[in-house]
Amino acid sequence: MKEIEEKTREAVDTPERRIQILSILTHHVGRENAIGMGELYYKIFGKAYVNRINDTRPLRIILKRMKQQGSQICSHTSAVSGGYYLAAATSERDDYYDREFKNAVGRLARLGKVKKMNRQELAAQTLLLLESYDAKEEDQAY
C-alpha cells in the first residue's frame, strides 16, 4: 500500500509542476497577495476540485515537499483571504516560520496533556522523533 502511495506521489510531484507552482507564486508575493487553494489547484491541474480535502491532497503534497526542500513558500489560513504566497521580505518569512513553530509546540503540548506526559518526557520523546525524522530524510536523500 505504501509503495502505491509513493508511486502516486511521484507521478504527481514532477519538476514541471514545481516550476509551474513557483511561476504562479511569483505573482503572489506577500501575505496580502496570497492565492487561495482553489485557484492554485485550478491553475495547476486545469480543473476545479470537488472535494476540498481529498482532491487538493496532491497539490498539498507537492507544496509540502517543496517547503521541506527549502522553497520559501508561505501559507496562512483565514476564512476571507487564506492561501499560499512567497514572502516579500525576510521578516515576513521569519514571521511565517515563527507561527509554524508556535503551532507545532501547541500541538505537542496538547498531545502531552492527552498522554499525561510531563514536559521532560514530552521533550525527550520529541527529540527521539526528531532524530528519527532526520535519519529518515537522510535515507531518502540517497
Side-chain angles (χ1 to χ4, degrees):
M1 179 77 169
K2 213 166 185 111
E3 187 177 312
I4 293 170
E5 287 178 15
E6 188 59 32
K7 285 182 181 178
T8 302
R9 286 185 181 130
E10 294 304 323
V12 169
D13 186 5
T14 64
E16 295 80 15
R17 283 219 171 99
R18 287 176 176 233
I19 290 168
Q20 190 179 12
I21 289 169
L22 288 174
S23 175
I24 291 166
L25 290 178
T26 59
H27 300 284
H28 298 276
V29 177
R31 184 175 174 166
E32 68 280 358
N33 297 311
I35 182 172
M37 171 63 79
E39 185 179 353
L40 184 57
Y41 181 87
Y42 185 84
K43 287 184 175 190
I44 299 300
F45 294 101
K47 61 183 179 181
Y49 64 79
V50 176
N51 181 293
R52 184 170 186 257
I53 301 300
N54 294 332
D55 292 351
T56 62
R57 185 172 289 123
L59 179 57
R60 287 182 281 123
I61 287 168
I62 298 169
L63 291 165
K64 178 181 175 183
R65 285 181 168 185
M66 290 174 73
K67 288 179 183 183
Q68 288 172 336
Q69 294 171 353
S71 291
Q72 306 219 349
I73 299 170
C74 301
S75 61
H76 74 99
T77 55
S78 166
V80 178
S81 65
Y84 296 93
Y85 62 98
L86 297 176
T90 304
S91 60
E92 189 173 50
R93 183 204 60 208
D94 291 346
D95 287 346
Y96 168 74
Y97 289 145
D98 288 346
R99 282 194 316 275
E100 287 287 295
F101 185 76
K102 287 176 186 174
N103 288 338
V105 169
R107 283 192 293 275
L108 282 172
R110 285 190 299 278
L111 284 171
K113 285 181 181 179
V114 169
K115 294 181 113 185
K116 297 183 171 126
M117 299 169 77
N118 64 40
R119 288 182 183 207
Q120 290 78 18
E121 292 170 322
L122 184 61
Q125 286 291 320
T126 302
L127 284 173
L128 287 172
L129 286 170
L130 285 171
E131 288 171 5
S132 169
Y133 182 81
D134 289 345
K136 183 179 173 184
E137 282 202 334
E138 285 178 17
D139 289 345
Q140 290 178 352
Y142 295 108

